[in-house]
Amino acid sequence: MVRQGMKPAAQPRAKATRDKLVAAFEALLRDKPFEQISVAEIAEKAGVSVGAVYRRFDNKDAFIPVIFDLYRERAEAFAASPEGRFTPGPDSCLRRTLTRIAEMTWTFLDREGHLVRAAHLQARLRPDLIGKEWDVLMEAGVASARTLVDLYAGEIARPDPDEAARVLFYLQNTSMIEYALYREEGPGAALRLSGNAFAAAMADAMYGYLTAR
Amino acid sequence: MVRQGMKPAAQPRAKATRDKLVAAFEALLRDKPFEQISVAEIAEKAGVSVGAVYRRFDNKDAFIPVIFDLYRERAEAFAASPEGRFTPGPDSCLRRTLTRIAEMTWTFLDREGHLVRAAHLQARLRPDLIGKEWDVLMEAGVASARTLVDLYAGEIARPDPDEAARVLFYLQNTSMIEYALYREEGPGAALRLSGNAFAAAMADAMYGYLTAR
Amino acid sequence: MVRQGMKPAAQPRAKATRDKLVAAFEALLRDKPFEQISVAEIAEKAGVSVGAVYRRFDNKDAFIPVIFDLYRERAEAFAASPEGRFTPGPDSCLRRTLTRIAEMTWTFLDREGHLVRAAHLQARLRPDLIGKEWDVLMEAGVASARTLVDLYAGEIARPDPDEAARVLFYLQNTSMIEYALYREEGPGAALRLSGNAFAAAMADAMYGYLTAR
Amino acid sequence: MVRQGMKPAAQPRAKATRDKLVAAFEALLRDKPFEQISVAEIAEKAGVSVGAVYRRFDNKDAFIPVIFDLYRERAEAFAASPEGRFTPGPDSCLRRTLTRIAEMTWTFLDREGHLVRAAHLQARLRPDLIGKEWDVLMEAGVASARTLVDLYAGEIARPDPDEAARVLFYLQNTSMIEYALYREEGPGAALRLSGNAFAAAMADAMYGYLTAR
DNA sequence: TATGAATGAGGTTTCATTCAT
DNA sequence: CATGAATGAAACCTCATTCAT
């Protein structure tokens, strides 16, 4: 499937160029936000000419969907990896599972934070260009939250399990993203918790939410 | 007191110009992020010349502290207003109070969201320029959270009340800011909760955190 | 006498302001060239308002004659001082006197170089504004050179004593100014002579010129 | 070799643009000093866009080395030309040779004075940007002065031939530059000598310096 | 009259995008 | 096709000068 603003890259060479550009773009995203990355910089890092960039992408904005594509790709890969697999043992309980999930989220953010950061930033700076990107991205997460909600349905007091799963996923993610990515630069500076301690607090809050009567 | 990058405005006319500039700047912030606002635009909206801007502010970046100043100012004004006053009645309980606070936060964000948004965005885009802005801003909030923690100490299970107050304030704020400001453009799009419903969910989560054993 | 671009300063207060401005201007000239000095800077250093500057001077260019006025004033004062007086003893000879003069020139440049530098620079950068400034300035110098030429007429081989005096004064001054003021920054960096050694070389050259047959 | 602030111009088109810019820059230098030339002006005169200027030069200051490059280039070309070749005949003597050299210098200054003027002015106005430019520029001149000193060693009384060569080159150059370039605008206005007459006076002075005992 | 705030033209620089080679 | 040079609009900032108070 060809995304908005990207051009078909049928030939192997075209594909190779595209891959180099995406890799260069992602590398730059680790250093600075999208607005501070110039097209010339991407080209240079990819080892191709500026013209070649415009042969693969309509314009600079066409790189924004790339952020979301990579985000999705990594999220899926993580979910499929041992680190990201969520397999409660026979003696597990809701609280322990929530803690485990919070820790997993933390691990993912540690690794792919640059994509998450860029995705959030673009959603704020260029909302017009985002469209339904988030919907797809959240689907899988919400689904797995729903699995959890169903699994521990006995312990959970929320009347609407779908809503519960959505809220669970949303609250946990936004808080942890904020803390994992912007601890130093944002209001999180007032907190001095380690990743694990924060994950534990998070799990408590989520447990409270799910079991509140 | 004169902030970094701002120049003293002793004379009434200078003060008037400064006020016009700040008002114009804030108005523009409602429409678009800082990076998309040009100095010429601020000047035009304020009805002064470009040169006049530079007589009051060292450079464009000197407007960033203004965001935090306004944020603080509005937060204080809100806290002092009837809407923002937090006065638990004799029969109040922790859960009810948490709900009330979540609703207040929502109201504030609805009104002054542009400042909160700008503050967060700048913290992400130009962390070097922010410094201790957040510390001051969070002080009051954390203090009032601490009041609450002390008030309901009997119901609360957290061992360290200071940490509890900080986490309470932080989690509540970041989640609600995210939802209030970026519901449409961010991952919040997957949720379809009203402000009140979200505030209620928030209160449950916070209650869970505070009372978790 | 009121110079071009300067305004009459009859009242004592006006005179005082003018003096403060001139002093501030000269002080700044020691640090940087005219083009890099702003009107606001002069005003500030003088402790008066920008408006006050424009009450005393038509515009920034009206400060240029001030350079020449000060130059003249200092040159006259120096010539009248013991250091600058040129009184050959009974057993003096042309060569010794030339050396003495070269050393005197060096001393003057060491002290009032900022004015000489500014005068030369302005003559190069804004020749239109200079007019007859140099004529007056050189008159005294040429006259004293003429005294010398007449005094040692026996040793001197030049047919036209007036021309000899002019060339003597001109060559000596331009070379020494260049060396005294711009040794480091200009082609003089290739030389490594002390002021005295340079003065001696200068005297030899001048002696050669005057006695050449 | 690519100089500080200049960018490589490998391709023919890039080279052509660079050449057009340099030519335009030099043409403008004939009219006015560096500080009064705007980048837009250079671009317009070269028939290219402003952006093209910045693709070839880091910033406006990167044009300063161009002045020195052209200076050197012209000096070398002149030295290699019949006009600039210095070949004393069998019956030549020191004095005649000095006169010949003074006249050559005059011819060069008449032709390339704009570069010499710009070089000197920049050395005065922006000494920080000049660095070792003069060293290279003077090397050749001093070397040829040294040839002369060695050639007429018998007539010359100076103990240190290297120093003699340096002083010779320096004095002659500074004085003649001053007179050739600023006769009208500087203290030279008091003299009314033709180029040849001035060159002759110069030769006498230099002869005096070299033969002084 | 003195102050210093305001003006606005002019300068430098950046960079997404186009296009000649 | 790929390259990278060229374009040009738009941004920031300065400062001599004017003018309201």
Side-chain angles (χ1 to χ4, degrees), chain C residues 9 11-21:
Chain C
Q11 299 181 20
R13 189 166 45 152
K15 178 91 173 47
T17 300
R18 218 204 92 97
D19 289 349
K20 278 190 286 184
L21 285 169

Side-chain angles (χ1 to χ4, degrees), chain B residues 128-209:
Chain B
D128 47 308
L129 296 179
I130 302 305
K132 298 276 162 229
E133 301 285 1
W134 289 113
D135 292 359
V136 189
L137 206 39
M138 302 207 68
E139 230 164 71
V142 167
S144 103
R146 178 62 195 268
T147 309
L148 182 145
V149 168
D150 290 341
L151 196 59
Y152 299 101
E155 288 185 66
I156 289 174
R158 290 277 146 193
D160 179 344
D162 180 63
E163 184 185 293
R166 289 179 183 278
V167 170
L168 167 61
F169 185 68
Y170 180 74
L171 284 187
Q172 164 136 307
N173 266 275
T174 52
S175 293
M176 295 203 74
I177 285 170
E178 172 75 28
Y179 195 63
L181 300 182
Y182 304 112
R183 220 173 333 169
E184 308 299 331
E185 301 103 27
L191 253 58
R192 286 280 154 211
L193 299 181
S194 71
N196 274 349
F198 188 84
M202 209 55 242
D204 284 343
M206 293 303 95
Y207 186 78
Y209 166 72

Side-chain angles (χ1 to χ4, degrees), chain B residues 11-209:
Chain B
Q11 298 193 6
R13 192 157 53 127
K15 180 96 175 43
T17 299
R18 215 204 98 96
D19 290 349
K20 278 190 284 183
L21 285 170
V22 168
F25 177 57
E26 185 182 356
L28 288 164
L29 272 185
R30 287 183 191 272
D31 280 358
K32 46 186 165 185
F34 182 79
E35 341 288 328
Q36 290 167 32
I37 297 172
S38 79
V39 172
E41 223 170 349
I42 301 175
E44 192 184 19
K45 187 144 214 152
V48 304
S49 69
V50 172
V53 176
Y54 283 89
R55 170 157 273 277
R56 290 297 127 224
F57 294 87
D58 273 349
N59 49 41
K60 194 189 162 186
D61 284 349
F63 277 93
I64 292 177
V66 171
I67 298 168
F68 288 86
D69 288 341
L70 289 172
Y71 191 163
R72 252 191 312 275
E73 184 187 309
R74 302 299 161 78
E76 278 162 24
F78 185 78
S81 75
E83 281 165 322
R85 199 128 36 199
F86 147 67
T87 44
D91 61 335
S92 81
C93 64
L94 174 55
R95 169 160 265 145
R96 208 163 11 227
T97 304
L98 285 169
T99 306
R100 166 95 180 94
I101 287 177
E103 283 165 1
M104 272 165 38
T105 305
W106 187 267
T107 303
F108 179 74
L109 290 172
D110 230 37
R111 199 172 298 157
E112 312 291 356
H114 58 290
L115 297 172
V116 182
R117 181 165 48 222
H120 277 250
L121 238 25
Q122 284 316 302
R124 283 144 179 67
L125 292 170
R126 313 284 306 277
D128 47 308
L129 296 179
I130 302 305
K132 298 276 162 229
E133 301 285 1
W134 289 113
D135 292 359
V136 189
L137 206 39
M138 302 207 68
E139 230 164 71
V142 167
S144 103
R146 178 62 195 268
T147 309
L148 182 145
V149 168
D150 290 341
L151 196 59
Y152 299 101
E155 288 185 66
I156 289 174
R158 290 277 146 193
D160 179 344
D162 180 63
E163 184 185 293
R166 289 179 183 278
V167 170
L168 167 61
F169 185 68
Y170 180 74
L171 284 187
Q172 164 136 307
N173 266 275
T174 52
S175 293
M176 295 203 74
I177 285 170
E178 172 75 28
Y179 195 63
L181 300 182
Y182 304 112
R183 220 173 333 169
E184 308 299 331
E185 301 103 27
L191 253 58
R192 286 280 154 211
L193 299 181
S194 71
N196 274 349
F198 188 84
M202 209 55 242
D204 284 343
M206 293 303 95
Y207 186 78
Y209 166 72

Side-chain angles (χ1 to χ4, degrees), chain A residues 43-63:
Chain A
E44 193 188 19
K45 188 146 213 151
V48 304
S49 70
V50 172
V53 176
Y54 279 86
R55 177 153 291 281
R56 289 294 126 226
F57 293 87
D58 272 349
N59 49 39
K60 193 187 165 187
D61 285 349
F63 278 92

Side-chain angles (χ1 to χ4, degrees), chain C residues 63-113:
Chain C
F63 278 92
I64 292 177
V66 171
I67 298 168
F68 288 87
D69 290 342
L70 290 172
Y71 190 164
R72 254 192 311 276
E73 185 187 308
R74 301 300 160 77
E76 278 162 24
F78 185 78
S81 76
E83 282 166 321
R85 199 129 36 199
F86 146 66
T87 46
D91 62 336
S92 82
C93 64
L94 174 54
R95 171 160 263 146
R96 205 154 22 220
T97 305
L98 285 169
T99 306
R100 166 96 178 92
I101 287 179
E103 284 166 0
M104 272 165 38
T105 305
W106 188 266
T107 303
F108 180 74
L109 290 172
D110 232 37
R111 198 171 301 156
E112 313 290 356

Side-chain angles (χ1 to χ4, degrees), chain A residues 33 35-36 95 117 120-121 123-128 130-131 134-135 138 142 158 163 166-167 170-171 174-175 178-180 182-193 198 200-202 204-209 212-213, chain B residues 33 35-36 95 117 120-121 123-127 130-131 134-135 138 142 158 163 166-167 170-171 174-175 178-180 182-193 197-198 200-202 204-209 212-213:
Chain A
E35 342 291 323
Q36 289 167 31
R95 170 161 264 146
R117 180 167 48 223
H120 277 249
L121 237 27
R124 283 145 180 67
L125 291 170
R126 314 287 304 278
D128 47 309
I130 301 305
W134 288 112
D135 293 358
M138 303 207 67
V142 168
R158 290 277 147 193
E163 184 184 294
R166 290 181 181 279
V167 170
Y170 179 75
L171 283 188
T174 53
S175 291
E178 171 77 26
Y179 195 63
Y182 303 113
R183 218 173 334 170
E184 307 299 330
E185 300 104 29
L191 254 57
R192 285 279 154 212
L193 299 182
F198 188 83
M202 209 55 241
D204 284 343
M206 292 303 96
Y207 186 79
Y209 166 72
R213 264 166 229 285
Chain B
E35 341 288 328
Q36 290 167 32
R95 169 160 265 145
R117 181 165 48 222
H120 277 250
L121 238 25
R124 283 144 179 67
L125 292 170
R126 313 284 306 277
I130 302 305
W134 289 113
D135 292 359
M138 302 207 68
V142 167
R158 290 277 146 193
E163 184 185 293
R166 289 179 183 278
V167 170
Y170 180 74
L171 284 187
T174 52
S175 293
E178 172 75 28
Y179 195 63
Y182 304 112
R183 220 173 333 169
E184 308 299 331
E185 301 103 27
L191 253 58
R192 286 280 154 211
L193 299 181
F198 188 84
M202 209 55 242
D204 284 343
M206 293 303 95
Y207 186 78
Y209 166 72
R213 261 167 230 283

Side-chain angles (χ1 to χ4, degrees), chain A residues 4 43 71 73 78 93 112 139 148 160 174 193-194 210:
Chain A
Q4 172 78 18
Y71 190 164
E73 185 187 309
F78 184 79
C93 64
E112 312 290 356
E139 232 165 68
L148 182 145
D160 178 344
T174 53
L193 299 182
S194 70
L210 290 173

